[in-house]
Amino acid sequence: MEKKRSASVHLTALLFILPAFLVYTLYTASSIFRTFQFSLHDWSGFGPVANSANIGFANYVKLFADERFLHAIKNNFLLVVVSIVFQLSTGMILALIINSKNRGTKFFRTIYPMPLLLSTVATGILWLLMFNPYTGLFNGLLRIISPDVRLSWLGSEQVVLFAVMFVICWQYSPQYMILLRAGMTNISAEVYEAAVIDGANKWQQFWKITFPLLSGTLKTSAVLSIVGSLKYFDLIWIMTGGGPNGYSELMATYMYRKAFTEDQMGYASSVASSMIVISLVVIIIVQFMLKQKDNQ
Amino acid sequence: MKKLMDKVGFYGVAGLYLVLFGFPFVITIVMSFKSQMEFLGGNFWGFPSTLFFGNFARVFASNFPRYFANSVFVTALSVTISILAGSLASYAIARLKLKYAPYLLLFFMVGMMIPVHTTLVPIYQLTKAFGLIDSHWGLILPFVNFSLPIAIYIMTSFFREISISIQESAIIDGASPFTIYWKIMLPLSTPAISTVAIYNFLTCWNEFIYSMTLLNTERKKTLPLGIREFFGSETVNIPAVLTAILIASLPIIIFYIFAQEKVVNGLSAGAIKG
Amino acid sequence: MKKTMMIALLLMVAVTFGLYAGGAAETAAKPTTTLELWHIQVNETAKRPIENAVRRFEAANPGVKVNISVIEANPYKTKLKTVTGNDFPDVFHSWGGSWLESFVDAGMVADITEASKAWKDQVSESAFALNVYDGKVYGSPYMNSSTIMYYNKDLFKKYNLTPPKTYSELVQVAETFKKNGIIPFALANQAKWPGAQHFVLLSMRLGGPDIFKRAIDGEVKFTDEVFVKAGEMLQDMVKKGYFPEGVNGIDYNTGGSRVMFYAEQAAMIVQTSNMLSIVKTENPAFYQNKLGVMLYPSIEGGKGKATDLLAGENAFSVSAYAENKDIAAKLVGFLSTDLQLMEEYAKGGAIGASKFAPVPADDPLLRDAMAQIANATFIQNFIDQTLAPELANMHKDTVQALFGGTMTAVQAAQTMQKTADGLK
């Protein structure tokens, strides 16, 4: 009886998983395999990869001595930290705002996700204009305080990464607002009512009820934020191209540059493979740490 | 008095965020009524001296309606298929007591870690092998593929939080896994599904590089490619591009409002927990 | 609710299918040859003329149908590196030089030496030569493109200045403008290549116009004193305030430098000849009344002349996978020489590649630009189309660092040399 049930459960499971598994394996798994294959060759990207020399792990050796790449990794991890801190906290605040019973939340709910809904191209163009030293809004506002301000937000090697990270956080905070808000719907109103009866103020309600009950969603958000930051590409490419002089370079922009502007598809594939491995390791560590916290 | 302070505090903070997150949208609307000449003439941030409708005219004179239809087709199918396939797999991982479930989840999660351009060449070659170059299905399959990891990840984590007692009582009543999935889990997970739908819609609607690489003929182009036509060689007609983007963003804004209603209405279903 | 959502989605699908069915009309007669033509001229001023020319070609060659696909330059490069085999366009835009060479080496470009004999002497020689490798012809230019020094005639007149012919004259001009609160050169260097033009021109003026060719051939090093001096001069100009502040954070494509130029906050700008058609469209009044064209000044004691030009091309090549290479080559030849096409280019402010491209009577700027090319004492292809891609990127990065003051001229030169050595 048990064996029969077990077999039917497995068959059911197989059928449930099959559609997603098929598409995903076909496209993603095979792509990863191919990428790894490319990375073992000295391949420019032109013509079949089989025509190029198989150089084993030489690309990886070169990669981990590559200053630009190491700098890019640093930038990515900086982005991870900044993203988690700012995007999640902002997303949380926004979610609380739109979840509240005050009037006008419907309006807020519609406007807040605009950064996310308006295409990245528009975001890139608008913020490029805003950061312009001469005609940009930022310097324009600063000039009210001290005239002749010509700060070069995107041109200065020290500031550029932070300027773009600000825009990235701005763009993605609403994503976490949506996710956390969805998580909040799982918390029943009765729990809050009981707390209010017990005399808890809003602050206590948040830390003792909302925050703990959202821990699952927060963990999900953290993981999403981490993987997103490690593979991030768009706004850096649009607003700075990785410059000036590689100071805002990310692993993904470096990979793109090598693959499509420098005829080094093999080397670029080693960048891509490394990115996947790095992300995997980070996520496994994070999942492990989160499980530890759970068990405490 | 305290209530008043609370309200002031609330609306103060909410208002600040409103300005911060809303102003580019406002600027975009203002820009769409400005001509490029006025913009380059120095009027960057202010209101246009006269309302200019040329940007809108240009957008509608182009193949916008066609691109729009194509985008709707590709996105609607991609989102629907990925949510169906993804929720099926998520249910199996979350609730079917499989020993290999954590590994399966990790397997799907790897898809979230892959930088977009990495798979461009392999997927192109795969699409070519299937004979799907320059076809919308050649685009839909990769889009589903990109949407699955995040769909599965989010839905699995939501499914796991739904109380197990409901499922158990359904099993006792003799319900098959599929019935539990279709009649119980899905309805209870509307917030999660809506969230995933928004994310995937966004990704597919604004996707550029694969659309550009896998599509060739004008008739098949999607909106992001159409918007690109407003980019010049070494020059960008900013008001025109922003107008095109504004119009192209309307469907996703409408979809978001629609899907958000679902998230809010899931409130009542959340009475399961606690 | 969830069911409603799905029904709504499916309805949307059905509606769009309906829209589809409406527009699915195919052409009637089956053509004997279909050619795929891909190019990057997204600007209307060049897109329409090419389309018109293609239709004329079709009319003159019955049974031939040409499908045109226009893609903006940057995505175009990515797409061209991804597609293979018969997805590769029969006729495709190229920049010649080192860019095309990668494709030639990979065997993806058809040899059109024989076919091109029919038209090659109608085409600008310098541009044509950029498509020749090992004596074989792999493409033909359809547009000339050069680097021009533009200036604001009114501003010059206002301060009693004439276009400088030498570097010391340039300094005088620049100082006068500075004193009067005007930035001498407008520049938007976020994309790196606008500023690189200055460095290249300075190097050419100092060391002779073939200095880059000699560096590539290994005859001189990238650490040669010519490049170091050019870098130092550049940084000197930056320090003296000849360029806008924060130049590396200003973007050219979104108009960052043109805005200053139009607003008369800057007096000169070094840019591609493409800017002619851009200004003509964006600001016709400025084009008519204030825009002027001059040569980049020579440097006293330097080996280069003011008439040495930095110029490249827009070309078409034939794919090695094309089914009908003869017709494809014929199309390439047509687009390189058709006079009506050249005339329509000129109307839009672009320079056609034909030697006989009509010089517009009412457009003195275009006339001057074309004369610069015709009378050039030396033509050097754009450096980022001449250097190997990795070196070209390093060149742009190092010059950007020079503008930002984060590298010295010596460091920049050494970095270039290191990259060049790494490529051997």
Side-chain angles (χ1 to χ4, degrees):
Chain A
M1 184 56 182
E2 261 305 311
K3 247 195 169 165
K4 203 163 150 215
R5 185 179 172 281
S6 174
S8 107
V9 167
H10 275 285
L11 187 60
T12 315
L14 200 64
L15 287 174
F16 269 64
I17 296 171
L18 202 61
F21 189 82
L22 265 179
V23 177
Y24 181 80
T25 310
L26 199 54
Y27 279 86
T28 298
S30 74
S31 297
I32 297 181
F33 180 72
R34 297 277 279 153
T35 301
F36 184 65
Q37 187 194 15
F38 294 162
S39 72
L40 299 176
H41 289 81
D42 182 19
W43 186 43
S44 66
F46 290 101
V49 64
N51 288 355
S52 61
N54 184 323
I55 53 172
F57 285 92
N59 277 331
Y60 292 95
V61 173
K62 181 172 166 201
L63 188 64
F64 285 99
D66 186 334
E67 273 174 33
R68 250 320 171 101
F69 181 65
L70 296 174
H71 194 150
I73 297 184
K74 254 200 321 197
N75 288 346
N76 272 101
F77 277 100
L78 191 58
L79 182 61
V80 167
V81 172
V82 169
S83 294
I84 293 194
V85 169
F86 288 100
Q87 289 174 21
L88 261 56
S89 57
T90 310
M92 179 66 99
I93 296 176
L94 293 176
L96 287 172
I97 292 179
I98 64 175
N99 194 35
S100 78
K101 302 278 183 302
N102 291 314
R103 295 181 56 190
T105 51
K106 214 166 180 176
F107 180 62
F108 294 138
R109 209 168 74 207
T110 314
I111 301 291
Y112 283 161
M114 282 307 163
L116 194 63
L117 302 180
L118 222 46
S119 123
T120 309
V121 172
T123 306
I125 291 180
L126 283 173
W127 285 92
L128 258 175
L129 293 174
M130 278 198 260
F131 281 131
N132 186 307
Y134 284 81
T135 57
L137 258 189
F138 269 141
N139 284 352
L141 289 173
L142 286 175
R143 258 173 244 141
I144 300 177
I145 310 172
S146 102
D148 273 351
V149 160
R150 297 252 187 278
L151 292 179
S152 174
W153 301 93
L154 298 176
S156 142
E157 289 180 358
Q158 284 72 35
V159 178
V160 62
L161 188 60
F162 292 98
V164 185
M165 287 199 294
F166 173 74
V167 186
I168 297 174
C169 289
W170 178 83
Q171 186 181 27
Y172 282 98
S173 297
Q175 179 164 9
Y176 299 102
M177 170 192 90
I178 297 175
L179 191 57
L180 288 167
R181 177 70 169 79
M184 284 177 189
T185 63
N186 266 344
I187 308 175
S188 81
E190 290 150 4
V191 184
Y192 287 110
E193 284 162 17
V196 168
I197 291 173
D198 280 348
N201 63 27
K202 288 244 183 306
W203 193 246
Q204 288 166 322
Q205 283 176 39
F206 175 74
W207 284 110
K208 293 254 148 68
I209 303 176
T210 317
F211 194 79
L213 287 180
L214 275 182
S215 66
T217 317
L218 278 169
K219 284 182 200 153
T220 308
S221 304
V223 170
L224 287 176
S225 181
I226 294 174
V227 290
S229 303
L230 286 174
K231 74 170 186 187
Y232 195 73
F233 177 84
D234 291 330
L235 275 175
I236 293 275
W237 191 255
I238 296 177
M239 292 175 73
T240 67
N245 204 18
Y247 269 76
S248 65
E249 191 91 84
L250 293 178
M251 292 190 282
T253 59
Y254 193 59
M255 187 231 122
Y256 184 85
R257 183 199 310 284
K258 287 292 170 190
F260 295 102
T261 64
E262 285 187 23
D263 295 354
Q264 291 183 43
M265 189 68 82
Y267 190 60
S269 301
S270 68
V271 175
S273 305
S274 306
M275 282 176 73
I276 298 174
V277 170
I278 292 176
S279 300
L280 205 52
V281 167
V282 169
I283 289 305
I284 292 179
I285 294 179
V286 167
Q287 296 272 55
F288 184 69
M289 277 170 39
L290 290 178
K291 272 217 165 41
Q292 295 286 66
K293 262 198 90 185
D294 257 349
N295 296 341
Q296 275 171 358
Chain B
M1 182 54 197
K2 184 169 185 306
K3 269 209 151 167
L4 184 62
M5 288 298 289
D6 273 348
K7 285 263 187 279
V8 166
F10 176 80
Y11 284 106
V13 172
L16 267 164
Y17 277 118
L18 198 67
V19 172
L20 181 64
F21 288 109
F23 84 96
F25 183 61
V26 173
I27 291 182
T28 304
I29 297 180
V30 170
M31 285 265 203
S32 63
F33 290 103
K34 230 184 262 184
S35 72
Q36 188 190 23
M37 251 198 273
E38 184 174 352
F39 176 76
L40 290 174
N43 181 0
F44 302 108
W45 308 108
F47 283 93
S49 50
T50 52
L51 284 180
F52 175 73
F53 294 101
N55 295 324
F56 291 98
R58 241 187 103 178
V59 169
F60 289 112
S62 72
N63 271 333
F64 233 62
R66 164 118 289 210
Y67 301 150
F68 186 88
N70 292 340
S71 277
V72 169
F73 181 68
V74 171
T75 304
L77 277 174
S78 304
V79 172
T80 313
I81 297 177
S82 57
I83 289 187
L84 281 175
S87 58
L88 278 170
S90 300
Y91 177 68
I93 296 175
R95 281 282 176 258
L96 286 186
K97 293 198 193 46
L98 302 165
K99 264 203 271 219
Y100 50 84
Y103 302 106
L104 194 56
L105 184 61
L106 202 59
F107 175 68
F108 281 114
M109 278 171 74
V110 174
M112 292 196 293
M113 306 173 192
I114 302 182
V116 176
H117 299 95
T118 309
T119 49
L120 188 60
V121 173
I123 287 187
Y124 166 79
Q125 291 174 347
L126 201 62
T127 311
K128 193 173 153 80
F130 288 152
L132 287 176
I133 295 282
D134 206 23
S135 85
H136 284 144
W137 278 101
L139 208 54
I140 291 174
L141 287 175
F143 281 5
V144 169
N145 168 61
F146 295 138
S147 307
L148 278 174
I150 198 171
I152 293 178
Y153 181 62
I154 291 181
M155 288 196 278
T156 305
S157 99
F158 265 77
F159 282 175
R160 278 183 177 154
E161 302 226 338
I162 294 181
S163 162
I164 199 146
S165 54
I166 309 250
Q167 182 181 344
E168 284 170 356
S169 54
I171 294 179
I172 291 174
D173 283 346
S176 75
F178 189 77
T179 321
I180 300 179
Y181 158 77
W182 188 255
K183 292 228 160 69
I184 300 178
M185 295 302 272
L186 282 191
L188 285 182
S189 319
T190 326
I193 294 181
S194 303
T195 307
V196 168
I198 293 172
Y199 289 176
N200 287 345
F201 196 103
L202 206 49
T203 313
C204 299
W205 189 257
N206 288 331
E207 204 288 326
F208 174 70
I209 197 85
Y210 282 84
S211 313
M212 187 210 55
T213 307
L214 298 175
L215 295 175
N216 290 327
T217 37
E218 178 75 12
R219 278 181 47 237
K220 302 249 168 88
K221 283 190 184 173
T222 53
L223 274 176
L225 301 182
I227 290 173
R228 213 65 198 197
E229 285 177 9
F230 289 87
F231 278 74
S233 189
E234 287 181 18
T235 178
V236 177
N237 183 338
I238 293 179
V241 168
L242 289 178
T243 310
I245 292 179
L246 190 64
I247 297 176
S249 300
L250 287 175
I252 175 78
I253 294 176
I254 294 172
F255 184 79
Y256 164 76
I257 295 178
F258 169 71
Q260 265 287 283
E261 293 295 318
K262 299 293 164 223
V263 175
V264 175
N265 290 342
L267 205 55
S268 50
I272 309 309
K273 212 171 196 245
Chain C
M1 53 72 245
K2 164 209 90 247
K3 289 206 171 96
T4 338
M5 187 162 91
M6 288 221 304
I7 294 176
L9 279 169
L10 289 169
L11 270 175
M12 271 201 281
V13 168
V15 165
T16 54
F17 256 131
L19 279 169
Y20 253 140
E26 284 291 350
T27 48
K30 184 100 176 49
T32 45
T33 317
T34 313
L35 291 178
E36 296 290 325
L37 170 70
W38 290 9
H39 69 83
I40 62 156
Q41 302 303 333
V42 261
N43 290 344
E44 282 298 315
T45 48
K47 192 161 87 160
R48 287 274 160 257
I50 294 180
E51 213 179 293
N52 294 341
V54 166
R55 300 298 156 232
R56 286 199 301 278
F57 182 81
E58 282 176 338
N61 293 278
V64 175
K65 173 137 181 28
V66 182
N67 292 330
I68 306 178
S69 188
V70 187
I71 309 173
E72 200 204 328
N74 285 320
Y76 174 82
K77 287 186 206 165
T78 306
K79 187 164 184 179
L80 220 58
K81 291 207 59 177
T82 314
V83 300
T84 56
N86 54 10
D87 285 322
F88 203 77
D90 302 304
V91 177
F92 63 98
H93 162 97
S94 111
W95 287 272
S98 61
W99 188 85
L100 186 63
E101 201 172 356
S102 314
F103 288 89
V104 172
D105 287 343
M108 297 170 83
V109 189
D111 178 346
I112 56 171
T113 318
E114 278 309 309
S116 66
K117 289 195 178 131
W119 72 76
K120 68 180 269 206
D121 43 5
Q122 297 173 48
V123 171
S124 149
E125 279 138 3
S126 56
F128 192 82
L130 297 173
N131 305 296
V132 181
Y133 308 96
D134 279 341
K136 301 207 196 82
V137 179
Y138 287 98
S140 180
Y142 65 95
M143 253 197 222
N144 268 328
S145 169
S146 63
T147 298
I148 298 179
M149 183 146 145
Y150 301 91
Y151 69 104
N152 184 326
K153 293 192 293 205
D154 276 4
L155 280 180
F156 269 69
K157 213 183 292 170
K158 184 168 170 194
Y159 297 105
N160 281 318
L161 299 166
T162 54
K165 295 214 174 40
T166 65
Y167 187 75
S168 40
E169 283 176 30
L170 178 64
V171 170
Q172 282 179 337
V173 166
E175 292 296 331
T176 313
F177 280 124
K178 260 181 60 192
K179 262 202 263 314
N180 290 285
I182 296 178
I183 307 170
F185 282 107
L187 179 64
N189 204 28
Q190 191 254 49
K192 307 172 201 166
W193 59 267
Q197 293 170 108
H198 279 273
F199 177 79
V200 170
L201 285 165
L202 287 171
S203 307
M204 282 168 69
R205 297 290 185 261
L206 280 172
D210 58 349
I211 188 74
F212 278 96
K213 186 172 179 310
R214 288 161 61 208
I216 293 172
D217 291 340
E219 213 185 295
V220 304
K221 285 197 170 303
F222 284 100
T223 41
D224 188 279
E225 55 172 1
V226 168
F227 296 117
V228 175
K229 181 111 175 65
E232 284 171 357
M233 285 177 80
L234 191 68
Q235 292 198 305
D236 188 48
M237 285 165 83
V238 172
K239 213 166 39 150
K240 292 217 269 265
Y242 292 179
F243 298 106
E245 274 178 68
V247 91
N248 285 335
I250 309 179
D251 179 45
Y252 178 68
N253 283 16
T254 48
S257 51
R258 292 197 303 276
V259 155
M260 274 181 223
F261 194 55
Y262 294 151
E264 303 195 292
Q265 291 161 347
M268 302 176 276
I269 181 171
V270 171
Q271 260 303 340
T272 60
S273 53
N274 204 9
M275 194 171 127
L276 285 171
S277 62
I278 294 177
V279 179
K280 206 169 183 184
T281 322
E282 268 176 11
N283 203 334
F286 194 90
Y287 189 81
Q288 294 284 7
N289 306 322
K290 305 201 187 198
L291 189 61
V293 153
M294 66 163 126
L295 292 168
Y296 201 80
S298 63
I299 299 179
E300 295 94 330
K303 303 206 188 99
K305 300 200 192 63
T307 44
D308 298 328
L309 208 61
L310 189 59
E313 57 156 4
N314 285 321
F316 281 122
S317 294
V318 175
S319 152
Y321 309 101
E323 278 174 10
N324 193 332
K325 296 198 185 57
D326 294 326
I327 273 289
K330 204 168 164 201
L331 178 60
V332 170
F334 183 77
L335 293 171
S336 300
T337 55
D338 181 64
L339 288 178
Q340 193 175 343
L341 176 61
M342 301 296 145
E343 197 178 313
E344 289 179 18
Y345 278 152
K347 263 207 218 89
I351 305 175
S354 162
K355 269 197 251 191
F356 308 108
V359 180
D362 60 345
D363 196 340
L365 293 172
L366 193 61
R367 209 180 43 223
D368 287 345
M370 290 167 84
Q372 280 188 3
I373 298 177
N375 301 330
T377 41
F378 189 100
I379 293 195
Q380 167 65 54
N381 192 9
F382 295 122
I383 294 303
D384 55 357
Q385 307 298 351
T386 316
L387 294 173
E390 196 179 335
L391 197 54
N393 276 347
M394 188 51 76
H395 155 74
K396 288 191 278 196
D397 277 345
T398 47
V399 175
Q400 193 181 45
L402 286 176
F403 273 101
T406 51
M407 264 195 194
T408 64
V410 173
Q411 284 172 331
Q414 285 171 342
T415 313
M416 276 296 279
Q417 188 58 50
K418 207 168 91 172
T419 311
D421 291 335
L423 288 177
K424 293 215 187 72

